[in-house]
């Protein structure tokens, strides 16, 4: 009877050695960026109560209506794999009373998210996001800081031609006024719109502008910027002023509403060509009512989420080489049983001191071991035979120059610097 052959689920990927090092570079740059901007890491569960996302993300969003992985656990509780990062971070912020801190809470996360979408280039059912959230400040300067962080992240990676698109979606009164203007524009064309747009018109008409199918029909749509009240207009102007003094280039896109219901005031996206029809590589915005909606005090917040798969794909398409992983420090070659035991000792000693080191475990000849050292990009090869062992020395060969010298065994670590 043939054994069943298992393959990875549709919409997922195996990140193998050789590729995972690129992920590590991207993640390390994200962490260093957050260190420089004084954001602290937070790690939340990969699944939460389904109601958290229904309330936090919005029941009329594509995510909640059809993209979440939901299930019942053995206690008959409704749970969902997290489809995005913000709702879980807000829940943790509220549950752990981080709002009691005297300063602005500035947090970041890196991890997998899950959405049941049609897989395509740069889009997976399990994908990874780097995101930040800042709670407790309404100052437009923090909006600009968040926008600038994503912009700087792309620059640190060497990504080319990244554009920032900016908009204000106002406050509740502004959106209510705009909603009526937008409906008056959309109603005459209702029958020509796709089924998703017709459904969104009834429940959340701003989301209609997010449609990719009917985008060509919205050229004459009213701008939400014309419906902003004085408070919203002032806030948006100050955000732009802060970005201007930082030298962050942006363009205004009055149709940018983002795909989540919780945004207020500032909304933004990062665009970069290179993965077919998809050009959005990240985005975010302000969400002043979300903390209270999830059961906390009335605390403002703002953040972004950036998809790592899309970044890596665009870097590859643009031919951007990430800095290589640190090479192996030394590869040991043992000739004889006594030398083999000494190599075991030296290998463990060097690793304990922080060096990266490797040896042969396949019983291969010296020539094959040297080829292995070359494949692993070792800086040095350390060759120990019976004669060297009896003299207390080891042959150390530079793989870059070919130069070979003899060093005492006790001096090996110092010789690798």
């Amino acid at each position: 009877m043939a054994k069943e052959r298992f393959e990875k689920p549709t919409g997922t990927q195996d990140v193998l050695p050789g590729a995972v090092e690129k992920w590590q570079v991207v993640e390390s740059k994200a962490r260093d960026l957050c260190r420089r901007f004084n954001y602290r890491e937070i790690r939340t569960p990969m699944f939460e109560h389904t109601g958290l996302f229904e309330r936090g993300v919005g029941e009329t969003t594509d995510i909640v209506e059809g993209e979440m992985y939901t299930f019942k656990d053995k206690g008959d509780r409704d749970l969902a794999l997290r489809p995005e990062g913000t709702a879980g971070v807000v829940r943790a912020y509220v549950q752990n009373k981080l709002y009691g801190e005297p300063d602005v809470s500035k947090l970041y996360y890196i991890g997998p998210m899950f959405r049941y979408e049609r897989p395509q280039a740069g889009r997976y059912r399990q994908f990874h996001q780097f995101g930040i959230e800042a709670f407790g400040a309404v100052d437009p300067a923090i909006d600009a800081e968040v926008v600038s962080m994503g912009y700087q992240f792309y620059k640190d990676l060497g990504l080319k031609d990244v554009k920032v698109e900016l908009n204000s979606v106002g406050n509740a009164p502004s959106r209510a006024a705009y909603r009526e203007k937008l409906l008056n524009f959309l109603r005459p064309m209702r029958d020509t719109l796709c089924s998703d747009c017709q459904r969104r018109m009834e429940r959340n008409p701003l989301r209609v502008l997010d449609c990719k199918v009917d985008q060509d029909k919205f050229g004459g749509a009213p701008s939400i910027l014309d419906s902003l009240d004085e408070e919203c207009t002032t806030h948006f102007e100050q955000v732009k002023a802060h970005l201007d003094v930082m030298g962050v280039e942006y363009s205004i896109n009055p149709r940018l509403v983002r795909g989540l219901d919780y945004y207020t005031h500032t909304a933004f996206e990062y665009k970069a060509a290179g993965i077919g029809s998809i050009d959005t590589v990240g985005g975010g915005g302000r969400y002043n009512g979300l903390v209270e909606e999830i059961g906390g005090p009335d605390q403002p917040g703002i953040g972004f989420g950036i998809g790592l798969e899309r970044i890596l794909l665009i870097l590859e398409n643009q031919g951007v080489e990430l800095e290589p992983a640190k090479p192996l420090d030394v590869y040991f070659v043992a000739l004889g049983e006594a030398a083999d035991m000494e190599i075991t000792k030296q290998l463990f000693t060097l690793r304990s001191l922080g060096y990266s080191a490797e040896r042969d475990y396949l019983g291969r000849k010296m020539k094959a071991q040297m080829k292995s050292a070359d494949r692993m990009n070792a800086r040095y090869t350390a060759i120990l035979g019976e004669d060297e062992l009896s003299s207390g020395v080891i042959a150390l060969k530079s793989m870059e120059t070919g130069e070979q010298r003899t060093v005492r065994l006790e001096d090996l670590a110092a010789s690798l610097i």
Side-chain angles (χ1 to χ4, degrees):
M1 187 174 179
K3 292 184 179 179
E4 183 178 359
R5 180 181 176 182
F6 293 98
E7 296 186 353
K8 66 182 185 294
T10 300
T12 64
Q13 59 177 333
D14 297 314
V15 184
L16 304 177
V20 77
E21 290 80 5
K22 297 178 181 179
W23 284 75
Q24 291 168 350
V25 171
V26 171
E27 291 165 2
S28 68
K29 286 188 177 294
R31 295 182 190 281
D32 183 65
L33 178 81
C34 291
R35 176 191 61 80
R36 284 143 50 198
F37 280 74
N38 195 33
Y39 283 70
R40 299 174 298 164
E41 185 175 8
I42 185 170
R43 303 187 183 189
T44 63
M46 282 193 285
F47 60 91
E48 302 265 7
H49 292 284
T50 304
L52 171 67
F53 301 115
E54 291 175 343
R55 180 175 295 184
V57 176
E59 294 184 6
T60 64
T61 62
D62 292 341
I63 294 173
V64 170
E65 289 185 335
E67 296 175 0
M68 283 204 302
Y69 281 92
T70 59
F71 61 96
K72 285 186 177 291
D73 69 2
K74 293 183 178 181
D76 202 37
R77 289 172 284 260
D78 291 312
L79 300 174
L81 298 179
R82 61 187 184 193
E84 56 90 52
T86 300
V89 173
V90 173
R91 192 268 313 146
Y93 173 78
V94 171
Q95 183 175 351
N96 296 284
K97 297 182 173 58
L98 298 184
Y99 50 78
E101 296 179 346
D103 299 310
V104 174
S105 292
K106 299 167 70 174
L107 308 170
Y108 80 91
Y109 59 85
I110 302 174
M113 311 292 162
F114 307 85
R115 295 182 194 174
Y116 190 84
E117 296 185 288
R118 181 172 63 86
Q120 54 184 292
R123 177 174 288 171
Y124 296 90
R125 290 176 178 173
Q126 176 179 312
F127 59 99
H128 298 76
Q129 277 192 346
F130 159 47
I132 66 169
E133 316 290 350
F135 300 99
V138 296
D139 191 334
I142 196 87
D143 298 44
E145 175 179 283
V146 169
V147 174
S148 72
M149 277 186 72
Y151 181 77
Q152 186 62 48
F153 181 52
Y154 297 121
K155 288 186 66 176
D156 290 348
L157 289 170
L159 213 62
K160 304 180 184 74
D161 301 322
V162 175
K163 298 178 175 60
V164 179
E165 292 191 355
L166 192 67
N167 192 26
S168 174
V169 294
N171 53 19
S174 296
R175 283 197 303 279
Y178 177 63
R179 185 179 189 275
E180 290 307 311
K181 292 181 181 179
L182 183 59
L183 282 172
N184 289 335
F185 169 78
L186 294 172
R187 284 185 183 119
M189 65 175 74
R190 187 183 193 285
D191 293 340
T192 69
L193 299 178
C194 71
S195 58
D196 283 341
C197 284
Q198 293 182 21
R199 177 172 46 82
R200 289 169 176 170
M201 277 182 63
E202 305 301 325
R203 304 181 67 183
N204 189 351
L206 271 69
R207 292 287 324 287
V208 173
L209 299 179
D210 220 18
C211 178
K212 303 299 184 287
V213 177
D214 292 321
Q215 197 60 226
D216 60 329
K217 299 175 183 177
F218 305 143
S223 169
I224 192 171
L225 298 177
D226 295 330
S227 295
L228 298 182
D229 60 20
E230 184 177 355
E231 174 209 348
C232 296
T233 300
T234 299
H235 185 95
F236 193 46
E237 291 301 318
Q238 290 181 358
V239 171
K240 292 189 290 183
H242 282 286
L243 290 173
D244 289 339
V245 298
M246 286 189 282
V248 176
E249 297 180 7
Y250 59 88
S251 61
I252 305 300
N253 179 1
R255 292 193 216 165
L256 196 165
V257 295
R258 299 286 294 150
L260 306 174
D261 284 354
Y262 49 60
Y263 288 115
T264 59
H265 291 288
T266 308
F268 59 92
E269 286 185 345
Y270 305 105
K271 305 277 190 177
I275 43 177
S277 62
I278 301 172
D279 63 352
T280 302
V281 291
R286 179 168 280 283
Y287 45 85
N288 285 354
L290 184 57
V291 174
E292 188 174 19
E293 181 69 23
I294 291 178
D298 183 14
Q299 287 285 309
I302 184 170
F304 68 56
I306 290 175
L308 300 188
E309 282 83 356
R310 294 186 182 184
I311 287 178
L312 286 158
L313 185 55
I314 294 176
L315 285 169
E316 180 180 352
N317 290 343
Q318 291 186 353
V320 178
E321 291 291 334
L322 295 173
E323 58 189 45
K326 187 177 180 181
L328 189 71
D329 287 314
V330 61
Y331 187 99
F332 283 99
V333 175
L335 305 174
E337 290 186 11
D340 186 79
M341 195 59 65
E342 178 64 25
I343 288 300
T344 295
K345 173 185 173 183
Q346 292 291 332
L347 190 67
F348 185 77
T349 298
L350 289 182
R351 287 169 172 171
S352 300
L353 292 172
Y355 291 95
S356 58
E358 187 56 283
R359 58 162 293 167
D360 176 65
Y361 293 104
L362 300 176
R364 294 175 294 189
K365 302 290 187 182
M366 180 177 175
K367 184 176 180 181
Q369 293 186 50
M370 296 297 289
K371 287 183 178 179
S372 183
D374 191 51
R375 284 194 301 272
M376 294 185 187
N377 196 29
R379 293 169 52 222
Y380 293 98
T381 302
I383 307 165
L384 185 66
E386 302 294 343
D387 291 343
E388 288 88 0
L389 182 60
S390 63
S391 301
V393 299
I394 191 168
L396 191 63
K397 179 180 180 180
S398 168
M399 297 298 284
E400 181 180 3
T401 66
E403 178 189 354
Q404 184 168 311
R405 56 197 170 103
T406 300
V407 301
R408 297 199 59 78
L409 284 169
E410 60 265 31
D411 297 331
L412 178 58
S415 301
L416 298 175
I417 297 175

